[in-house]
Amino acid sequence: MKKILLPLILISFAIITLGFIHIDNVNKLDQQYNDLRDKQQKNNTIDTENSKMFVSDIK
């Protein structure tokens, strides 16, 4: 019983630790995705406003 207990504990510890690391990485990627999406939306808004100004200057 003792021979199987230590490997079982170590494998369980590794799985739990890797699970926490994976969740942390997913949260970081989600935050980076949200930041990039917000930045892209701001750039698109500025580009749209510049296009409208350019078109109105032509008229």
Side-chain angles (χ1 to χ4, degrees):
M1 183 68 181
K2 287 185 179 182
K3 289 183 179 182
I4 193 116
L5 188 60
L6 182 61
L8 186 63
I9 291 171
L10 291 175
I11 290 171
S12 299
F13 177 75
I15 290 172
I16 291 169
T17 304
L18 290 174
F20 284 131
I21 292 171
H22 175 71
I23 290 170
D24 186 47
N25 286 341
V26 168
N27 289 338
K28 287 178 185 177
L29 287 174
D30 189 41
Q31 182 62 39
Q32 288 176 351
Y33 169 76
N34 289 335
D35 292 343
L36 287 173
R37 186 179 64 203
D38 291 342
K39 186 177 179 181
Q40 185 66 29
Q41 286 176 347
K42 287 178 185 176
N43 287 341
N44 285 342
T45 303
I46 291 171
D47 289 343
T48 303
E49 290 174 0
N50 288 340
S51 297
K52 288 179 183 177
M53 289 174 56
F54 180 72
V55 170
S56 66
D57 287 345
I58 293 176
K59 291 180 182 179

